């Protein structure tokens, strides 16, 4: 006589919610950053200072101080000021061409900064080793896949691939193309964060599904209530559309200039004049190429300060990514971050239902 199985049926696995899927996709980035969500705030000079950085980390994201042209003494004070506002992890972004890079690294080490972001090209010899020797993790920006592989061999801990849609200094390739080219090849080797033109959670979900450990946004956070930027600077962002964020033009081919994306204003003409001035100094032998590049960087730092701090939105630099069209109002940073997370979770929820 056949035996009848009267055991209860196996429970049907509960379908993962969109937030469950988001947490799983972000798990690697969260573990690397030590934050609640794997969303970094891009370092923006004069904007990414202690108040915005602390607000980002306190909200569960990962804030990054923009060192820019700061002296070691100023960076020391900025890190201390940030520590006074948050006990959450945050990073420091250093420019590789800074003449006092080694001293800045030492400042980060003294404060026990856990993550140092190196921007502006291939790190000089010994920089990566110096940072890792302090116990910090190193994050770099590779403009190409071969460059990324070289950085991985050099011992970096994570990478940010940033497309031309971003604000500030940009490369020539779009975010979507860089992600398609790089993520399948290098995402299995180390955490890779995607940046450039991201303004909504649906895009975040897409890059996570492609293999990214997390994302980085900058423009989206400029109009956070906690951001110290001048009201006129924020108003320019709210009013702008994506097509208003344009890349600067190189005037003299003998003076390679990394393009900068900013909102169109008279400041762009001033930059062209600055390029001509520096090119003439090169022609006359009054400056070397390295010094010429540094003068360009100092120009941008000054022009950005005029816009961000002084509110001169006509003659200063309004660095912004093409996602600026998705910035529609000033609101608390925690609300911006919560919206991005909800959008990403809902996008994953819809895709799960469709599957």
């Amino acid at each position: 006589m056949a035996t009848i199985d009267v055991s209860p049926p196996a429970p049907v696995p509960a379908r993962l919610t969109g937030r469950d899927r988001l947490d799983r996709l972000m798990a690697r980035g969260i573990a690397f950053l030590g934050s609640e969500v794997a969303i970094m705030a891009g370092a923006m000079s004069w904007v990414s200072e202690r108040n915005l950085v602390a607000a980002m980390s306190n909200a569960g994201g990962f804030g990054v101080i923009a060192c820019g042209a700061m002296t070691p003494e100023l960076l020391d004070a900025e890190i201390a000021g940030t520590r006074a506002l948050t006990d959450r992890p945050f990073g420091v972004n250093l420019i590789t061409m800074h003449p006092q890079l080694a001293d800045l690294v030492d400042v980060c080490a003294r404060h026990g900064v856990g993550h140092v972001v190196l921007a502006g090209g291939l790190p000089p010899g010994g920089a990566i080793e110096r940072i890792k020797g302090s116990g910090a993790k190193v994050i770099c920006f590779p403009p190409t896949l071969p460059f990324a592989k070289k950085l991985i061999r050099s011992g970096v801990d994570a990478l940010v691939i940033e497309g031309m849609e971003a604000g500030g200094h940009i490369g020539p390739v779009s975010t979507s193309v860089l992600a398609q080219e790089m993520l399948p090849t290098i995402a299995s080797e180390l955490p890779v964060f995607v940046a450039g033109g991201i303004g909504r959670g649906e895009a975040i979900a897409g890059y996570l599904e492609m293999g990214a450990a997390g994302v980085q946004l900058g423009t989206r956070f400029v109009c956070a209530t906690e951001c110290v930027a001048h009201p006129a600077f924020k108003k320019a962002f709210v009013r702008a559309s994506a097509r208003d964020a344009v890349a600067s033009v190189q005037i003299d081919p003998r003076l390679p200039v990394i393009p900068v994306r900013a909102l169109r204003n008279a400041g762009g003409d001033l930059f062209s004049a600055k390029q001509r001035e520096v090119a003439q100094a090169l022609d006359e032998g009054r400056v070397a190429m390295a010094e010429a590049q540094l003068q360009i960087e100092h120009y941008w730092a000054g022009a950005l300060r005029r816009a961000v701090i002084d509110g001169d939105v006509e003659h200063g630099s309004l660095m912004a990514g093409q996602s600026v069209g998705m910035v529609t109002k000033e609101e608390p940073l925690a609300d911006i971050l919560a919206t991005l997370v909800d959008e990403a979770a809902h996008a994953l929820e819809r895709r799960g239902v469709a599957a």
Side-chain angles (χ1 to χ4, degrees):
M1 185 178 213
T3 302
I4 300 175
D5 186 0
V6 293
S7 59
V12 177
R15 185 175 61 83
L16 292 177
T17 66
R19 184 55 197 260
D20 290 335
R21 295 186 65 200
L22 181 64
D23 289 342
R24 288 192 176 190
L25 289 171
M26 282 189 170
R28 189 182 189 188
I30 289 171
F32 176 78
L33 297 172
S35 52
E36 294 176 23
V37 293
I39 299 178
M40 301 171 62
M44 301 169 283
S45 293
W46 299 107
V47 175
S48 299
E49 49 75 70
R50 65 189 70 179
N51 292 285
L52 186 65
V53 172
M56 181 66 177
S57 292
N58 285 335
F62 190 80
V64 181
I65 294 173
C67 176
M70 286 184 192
T71 63
E73 293 74 22
L74 286 175
L75 179 61
D76 182 83
E78 199 59 41
I79 295 174
T82 306
R83 284 251 190 260
L85 297 173
T86 184
D87 58 1
R88 305 286 185 88
F90 62 87
V92 174
N93 180 294
L94 304 178
I95 305 300
T96 57
M97 67 176 66
H98 197 295
Q100 294 178 284
L101 179 61
D103 295 330
L104 296 171
V105 169
D106 290 343
V107 169
C108 293
R110 286 200 301 273
H111 282 278
V113 172
H115 300 72
V116 175
V117 184
L118 294 177
L122 189 67
I128 293 176
E129 293 78 9
R130 193 182 189 100
I131 295 169
K132 291 173 71 74
S134 72
K137 297 172 181 176
V138 181
I139 307 171
C140 288
F141 292 80
T144 65
L145 183 56
F147 200 107
K149 293 179 177 179
K150 184 171 184 177
L151 287 171
I152 293 172
R153 291 194 298 270
S154 298
V156 301
D157 299 293
L159 296 172
V160 178
I161 54 177
E162 184 175 70
M164 66 180 297
E165 301 96 322
H169 294 85
I170 58 172
V173 183
S174 71
T175 303
S176 61
V177 171
L178 287 176
Q180 292 176 77
E181 180 184 17
M182 294 195 191
L183 289 175
T185 302
I186 62 175
S188 61
E189 299 188 48
L190 78 179
V192 180
F193 297 82
V194 175
I198 300 175
R200 289 185 57 89
E202 291 86 350
I204 294 174
Y207 287 123
L208 290 171
E209 288 185 315
M210 291 175 66
V215 294
Q216 175 182 286
L217 290 76
T219 299
R220 190 70 178 82
F221 299 122
V222 167
C223 286
T225 306
E226 299 86 348
C227 178
V228 299
H230 194 282
F233 188 82
K234 292 183 179 182
K235 186 178 293 186
F237 273 59
V238 172
R239 290 176 173 175
S241 67
R243 67 177 61 196
D244 294 321
V246 297
S248 60
V249 177
Q250 178 176 296
I251 299 298
D252 192 324
R254 295 169 301 172
L255 181 65
V257 173
I258 300 174
V260 170
R261 186 175 299 284
L263 299 183
R264 187 185 287 107
N265 69 354
D269 296 332
L270 293 175
F271 177 57
S272 296
K274 180 63 178 179
Q275 287 186 73
R276 283 190 286 270
E277 173 191 323
V278 174
Q280 183 175 349
L282 272 174
D283 289 342
E284 296 172 356
R286 289 186 281 116
V287 296
M289 181 59 73
E291 172 61 22
Q293 289 283 12
L294 199 57
Q295 283 192 27
I296 295 295
E297 286 302 310
H298 286 163
Y299 167 83
W300 280 119
L304 189 58
R305 187 190 189 287
R306 285 199 300 275
V308 175
I309 304 302
D310 301 334
D312 184 356
V313 296
E314 185 57 31
H315 301 97
S317 174
L318 299 168
M319 290 189 187
Q322 291 182 321
S323 60
V324 70
M326 288 170 263
V327 178
T328 59
K329 61 183 177 180
E330 183 175 4
E331 56 187 321
L333 193 145
D335 291 352
I336 300 173
L337 195 62
T339 296
L340 292 169
V341 170
D342 286 345
E343 290 169 349
H346 289 156
L348 292 169
E349 181 84 24
R350 291 192 299 270
R351 293 170 196 176
V353 171

